[in-house]
Amino acid sequence: MGKKLLIHNDKVPGIHTLEVYRQHGGYASVEKALKTMSPEAIVEEVKKSGLRGRGGAGFPTGMKWSFLAKPEGVARYLVCNADESEPGTFKDRYLMEKIPHALVEGMITSSFALGAKTSYIYIRGEYFYVARILEAAIAEAYAAGFLGKNILGTGYDLDLYVQVGAGAYICGEETALLESLEGKRGNPRIKPPFPAIAGLYGCPTVVNNVETIAAVVPIINMGGEEYAKIGIGRSTGTKLISASGHINKPGVYEIELGLPVEEFIYSDEYCGGIWKNKKMKACIPGGSSVPILPTELLLKTAAGEPRLMSYESLSDGGFATGSMLGSGGFIVFDEDTNIAENLYTFTRFYHHESCGQCSPCREGTGWMEKIAHRIVHGHGKASDIDLLWDIQKRIEGNTICPLGDAAAWPVASAIRHFRAEFEAMIPKTELAH
Amino acid sequence: MAKVTIDGQTVEVPDGTTILQAARMIGGDVAPPTMCYHSKLKTSGGYCRTCIVKVSKGSDKDPRPMPKLVASCRTTVMDGMEVQNNTSPEVVDARKGVVEFLLINHPLDCPVCDQAGECHLQDLGYKNGGEGTRFDFERRTFERKDIGDKIQLHMNRCILCYRCVKTADQICDGRVHGVMNRGDVSEISTYIEKAIDNDFSGNMIDVCPVGALTDKTFRFKSRVWFTKPMDAHRDCKKCSGKVTLWEKGDEVLRVTGRKDQWGEVEEWICNDCRFDHKKITDWVIEGPRKIDHKSVISQNHYMKLAQPHYKKLDK
């Protein structure tokens, strides 16, 4: 049984209320941080913990916080990215739905550390009911004196707002999120400047994922060094994994980073093996954007080492033989899955979600969808597979924001590892040419 | 000051200069092509990706190369930076890709497009594009729209450079002109097909790099290469009054702002000058306008043709 720090109390009746949450040690980190620690000391603890961003990129949180510009007389903001839109990822929803106060508590402690007097939780439109749960929790926190003016008599003021988006995937990109939060069209900004210098309303801003902010709570409670002992190497702490697909027990699991992938899939504590006694064919370990891996490369690295659930191990071998931990959207496919059809779904998604600002993504995603559609409907041409490869290569890295990469990687990996399946779908008459 | 080397040529530029501006200072082919950047518009650039370059050395302080190709119009130079434009096969290939992306849904209706001959997309395609197309699906289409009585929008031809959006934003008070929808069905639109009520709205035609926004008073009057561009000015209370007249015989077919060697407007002109002063007697002719931008007009055959006419007026 691995250590649980974030959702260990998820089954406690009434844990969504402040009263029950307090009985289980809730808001201890706020009291500890605001009463006994300086903001710098909190940032230091987060640095020591080795916590890495849980939204997908895995950037060290402490370092991100220390980049925040602090000019005199300019407001600073903390924005929580709850726009969890990556297909296959639903961990943040679970956390916010079950234990909303964990996020509120993390927001208070983190805002104090960053010197933010106003903070926002930007949540996707489809999660409107979760927004209500959060708003209820925030109202309770205001009533209990954890939010508002002069929190716990320490003289620190903080206002926390929930802002519901309209459900665009692109608004999960931090600068598009900030644009949307400002009431504009959710288009990613061209960086630099980075949000740490000029973010929300042009002020220094930190944008963190829900799980990242919730993880600050145990880090403050137990100390950064203690937290860093959990996990493996530079992948410290625990991670929420959204397991879905052809497994016996789909759901949200909290794992200690470093757990072997094989154990995660086949152990009864987690996914419980592949459904209907079938074999596994492939897996996308970190949400739809990361490269898909065939079973043999998922369980073992190219060097023959067992693959672990950690940032380093999953990306071992680069994109040729590895993938990414990403947001932890773990999608498993059984032996009967058609990878080309699966890819068509993804290309359709990215085409639909492209914001249309920069040309490679705007035009390329639509083109890839059209070709994938043609292939899976049996009208593919012999040249289509190479063409798909070419298009993704010219999108990757050439766009304003990472959506271009996110659209390109699934195409590249599906062709890299499952080319034969695509070829099998091209009509024989075509191949004869 | 910062020293930057682009395609092997070094130039010293003030801090805060972008790679693109530095490359233009060197001039010639070193300057990357641009579609969405416009020097007179704030926050323009970064969208079309045609000006991408490879930064092979970040700076003297931090010599690491940049991991991805960068938009040169939006990346500022650092002291000691080394940039590859035409010398990098990676850049050349990526740019070819961008041209292909820009053209897959473009109607290629140059034979009936007023912009042909002075179209940046044509120039870009000839210079940087590949041969033929690999796109064999139906192209997306939109209805034609009028933006006021003087400007027509052909959304099919639009490459979403956002130049007109920035122009409208920066000359008008409210936000009336923008982009609707998203992804590859994005379209330029005004608030319920409203005219942009501003004396400078005509400049949107001049900033459009393709034939998406055209001057209705000039539609189908003549191919641009049959007209003679002449610099002229008049005493105008609203703008500088410095324009280029496009003449055919003694007739002024069109009035536009003056464009620099990169095809970007030098000074905004007002709608009065643009649409309402089409008599040659309204203007003081300065002389033939040299078109540097690569296009059929830049053959400058008109220079000879224009001479006697110019002298006649000068007397």
Side-chain angles (χ1 to χ4, degrees):
Chain A
M1 196 67 180
K3 213 177 182 88
K4 287 189 176 181
L5 302 170
L6 299 172
I7 53 168
H8 52 295
N9 288 329
D10 60 344
K11 301 285 191 296
V12 175
I15 192 73
H16 64 281
T17 63
L18 185 91
E19 194 190 345
V20 180
Y21 185 69
R22 286 282 277 161
Q23 284 162 10
H24 287 80
Y27 287 97
S29 83
V30 174
E31 300 203 15
K32 183 176 174 187
L34 267 63
K35 286 181 178 166
T36 68
M37 295 171 80
S38 67
E40 295 75 30
I42 301 172
V43 176
E44 207 43 49
E45 284 305 311
V46 174
K47 267 191 188 168
K48 274 190 219 160
S49 74
L51 176 67
R52 291 167 70 174
R54 301 297 196 224
F59 192 80
T61 307
M63 210 191 286
K64 192 175 196 175
W65 285 13
S66 61
F67 288 156
L68 184 70
K70 291 177 177 159
E72 277 297 309
V74 177
R76 301 193 280 274
Y77 294 102
L78 171 65
V79 177
C80 172
N81 184 346
D83 192 81
E84 184 179 48
S85 318
E86 181 86 351
T89 311
F90 41 87
K91 61 182 177 79
D92 295 340
R93 184 192 70 195
Y94 187 82
L95 180 75
M96 292 185 288
E97 204 179 327
K98 296 289 172 185
I99 324 175
H101 282 287
L103 176 60
V104 177
E105 180 178 357
M107 283 300 283
I108 301 169
T109 309
S110 308
S111 300
F112 177 69
L114 297 168
K117 302 261 192 249
T118 310
S119 295
Y120 297 90
I121 298 171
Y122 182 92
I123 191 164
R124 66 183 291 194
E126 290 86 341
Y127 286 3
F128 61 93
Y129 64 100
V130 184
R132 285 187 199 139
I133 295 171
L134 283 173
E135 271 165 357
I138 289 170
E140 280 186 307
Y142 267 106
F146 288 114
L147 280 170
K149 295 256 175 272
N150 194 15
I151 297 170
L152 302 176
T154 58
Y156 175 61
D157 307 333
L158 175 67
D159 284 310
L160 179 58
Y161 300 98
V162 178
Q163 176 63 45
V164 182
Y169 175 71
I170 192 63
C171 290
E173 198 277 340
E174 60 178 7
T175 54
L177 186 154
L178 295 176
E179 286 282 299
S180 172
L181 192 54
E182 288 179 8
K184 302 179 194 150
R185 182 185 166 87
N187 275 358
R189 294 177 185 169
I190 292 159
K191 293 178 268 190
F194 289 92
I197 311 294
L200 187 63
Y201 306 118
C203 299
T205 305
V206 166
V207 184
N208 278 139
N209 175 257
V210 172
E211 190 189 344
T212 314
I213 288 172
V216 172
V217 174
I219 288 170
I220 297 306
N221 285 336
M222 71 202 295
E225 273 168 33
E226 228 15 69
Y227 184 87
K229 287 179 189 162
I230 308 165
I232 183 165
R234 286 178 56 235
S235 299
T236 61
T238 63
K239 171 94 187 80
L240 296 179
I241 304 289
S242 327
S244 64
H246 304 146
I247 47 177
N248 282 321
K249 289 168 60 193
V252 176
Y253 297 100
E254 183 169 5
I255 59 157
E256 268 187 48
L257 286 167
L259 179 82
V261 173
E262 191 159 8
E263 188 184 334
F264 181 69
I265 297 172
Y266 292 102
S267 136
D268 275 339
E269 196 188 325
Y270 302 110
C271 301
I274 310 303
W275 73 350
K276 300 175 184 168
N277 288 320
K278 288 188 187 174
K279 285 200 204 91
M280 177 165 69
K281 179 183 206 169
C283 172
I284 297 173
S288 63
S289 313
V290 311
I292 189 170
L293 284 181
T295 307
E296 50 299 355
L297 282 174
L298 175 75
L299 301 180
K300 286 207 165 63
T301 63
E305 304 276 325
R307 189 84 76 176
L308 309 177
M309 299 287 281
S310 74
Y311 292 100
E312 290 78 22
S313 181
L314 277 171
S315 55
D316 184 274
F319 280 179
T321 59
S323 185
M324 277 170 81
L325 178 63
S327 62
F330 199 85
I331 315 170
V332 178
F333 303 109
D334 73 17
E335 53 191 320
D336 297 332
T337 315
N338 184 317
I339 300 296
E341 275 175 19
N342 172 260
L343 181 71
Y344 166 55
T345 310
F346 286 149
T347 53
R348 205 173 62 193
F349 174 79
Y350 288 109
H351 171 212
H352 184 249
E353 297 295 343
S354 168
C355 81
Q357 257 193 130
C358 59
S359 20
C361 177
R362 177 182 68 236
E363 306 293 349
T365 51
W367 195 3
M368 291 199 300
E369 189 208 327
K370 287 189 175 83
I371 295 172
H373 178 273
R374 180 157 81 184
I375 293 175
V376 302
H377 287 82
H379 309 299
K381 297 187 176 176
S383 57
D384 275 355
I385 303 169
D386 289 332
L387 182 56
L388 264 183
W389 181 266
D390 234 40
I391 299 171
Q392 67 80 19
K393 217 175 77 193
R394 281 171 163 179
I395 298 176
E396 190 202 350
N398 292 336
T399 53
I400 294 174
C401 83
L403 197 144
D405 297 346
W409 293 342
V411 176
S413 58
I415 296 176
R416 186 182 295 123
H417 299 301
F418 298 96
R419 195 184 171 103
E421 281 195 34
F422 288 89
E423 281 167 357
M425 298 188 90
I426 309 278
K428 297 255 171 348
T429 46
E430 254 299 317
L431 290 173
H433 289 304
Chain B
M1 295 296 274
K3 255 197 189 132
V4 54
T5 307
I6 306 169
D7 278 355
Q9 301 196 50
T10 306
V11 63
E12 202 164 318
V13 295
D15 291 327
T17 308
T18 61
I19 298 175
L20 178 71
Q21 286 161 343
R24 284 183 172 185
M25 284 177 203
I26 298 171
D29 274 355
V30 174
T34 56
M35 295 298 288
C36 66
Y37 171 80
H38 192 291
S39 53
K40 307 298 180 300
L41 293 170
K42 277 176 244 155
T43 73
S44 70
Y47 305 119
C48 71
R49 318 307 282 180
T50 49
C51 71
I52 43 175
V53 291
K54 186 182 172 75
V55 177
S56 48
K57 181 185 166 196
S59 67
D60 277 338
K61 259 191 214 152
D62 182 0
R64 285 177 302 168
M66 290 193 184
K68 292 175 178 179
L69 302 181
V70 298
S72 60
C73 62
R74 284 295 195 110
T75 312
T76 45
V77 297
M78 305 289 272
D79 195 26
M81 184 184 264
E82 282 172 22
V83 179
Q84 294 177 351
N85 178 26
N86 298 322
T87 49
S88 158
E90 200 187 333
V91 170
V92 172
D93 182 67
R95 195 169 287 151
K96 205 169 155 187
V98 172
V99 177
E100 186 172 30
F101 288 134
L102 287 175
L103 287 175
I104 59 170
N105 276 303
H106 188 84
L108 294 169
D109 59 344
C110 311
V112 293
C113 175
D114 278 325
Q115 190 85 4
E118 54 178 11
C119 173
H120 293 207
L121 190 58
Q122 275 184 330
D123 297 348
L124 182 79
Y126 282 127
K127 180 126 194 282
N128 305 94
E131 278 174 29
T133 180
R134 297 183 291 175
F135 185 81
D136 48 6
F137 300 92
E138 199 172 310
R139 289 164 198 247
R140 66 161 178 263
T141 50
F142 300 88
E143 291 292 316
R144 276 204 302 263
K145 261 189 218 168
D146 283 340
I147 297 178
D149 60 341
K150 297 286 189 339
I151 306 175
Q152 188 163 73
L153 168 65
H154 278 57
M155 191 56 215
N156 291 348
R157 297 172 183 158
C158 177
I159 57 158
L160 285 162
C161 69
Y162 281 69
R163 276 180 177 187
C164 63
V165 177
K166 309 261 173 194
T167 310
D169 257 1
Q170 288 165 29
I171 58 174
C172 300
D173 295 334
R175 206 176 61 165
V176 290
H177 181 87
V179 176
M180 312 261 279
N181 301 325
R182 74 173 174 211
D184 61 3
V185 291
S186 301
E187 61 180 304
I188 299 289
S189 185
T190 42
Y191 182 64
I192 327 184
E193 294 196 27
K194 200 165 138 180
I196 292 176
D197 186 19
N198 189 288
D199 279 338
F200 286 78
S201 63
N203 289 297
M204 286 166 41
I205 302 166
D206 283 354
V207 298
C208 183
V210 295
L213 291 168
T214 48
D215 182 341
K216 282 181 80 175
T217 64
F218 178 62
R219 266 170 70 74
F220 304 135
K221 287 261 173 76
S222 170
R223 307 273 23 176
V224 288
W225 57 86
F226 293 138
T227 60
K228 290 170 291 186
M230 304 287 272
D231 277 349
H233 66 266
R234 68 181 268 269
D235 194 15
C236 179
K237 288 191 178 68
K238 288 178 185 160
C239 67
S240 66
K242 290 179 185 162
V243 302
T244 301
L245 302 180
W246 300 76
E247 300 174 9
K248 199 173 191 179
D250 285 341
E251 208 184 340
V252 177
L253 294 185
R254 176 172 77 147
V255 182
T256 68
R258 293 182 188 176
K259 294 185 185 177
D260 62 17
Q261 59 168 318
W262 312 108
E264 288 159 20
V265 181
E266 285 172 357
E267 274 175 285
W268 305 130
I269 61 164
C270 67
N271 288 359
D272 259 13
C273 288
R274 183 187 303 274
F275 299 123
D276 300 333
H277 288 84
K278 295 219 171 164
K279 270 191 272 160
I280 211 151
T281 47
D282 293 337
W283 299 94
V284 180
I285 310 284
E286 294 169 19
R289 174 83 185 166
K290 191 172 182 310
I291 305 294
D292 288 309
H293 206 70
K294 290 178 190 60
S295 74
V296 268
I297 330 171
S298 69
Q299 303 291 319
N300 289 337
H301 294 315
Y302 65 88
M303 290 292 250
K304 273 185 228 140
L305 292 172
Q307 284 307 334
H309 176 58
Y310 163 54
K311 275 181 190 150
K312 190 172 74 191
L313 284 169
D314 202 36
K315 264 180 227 163

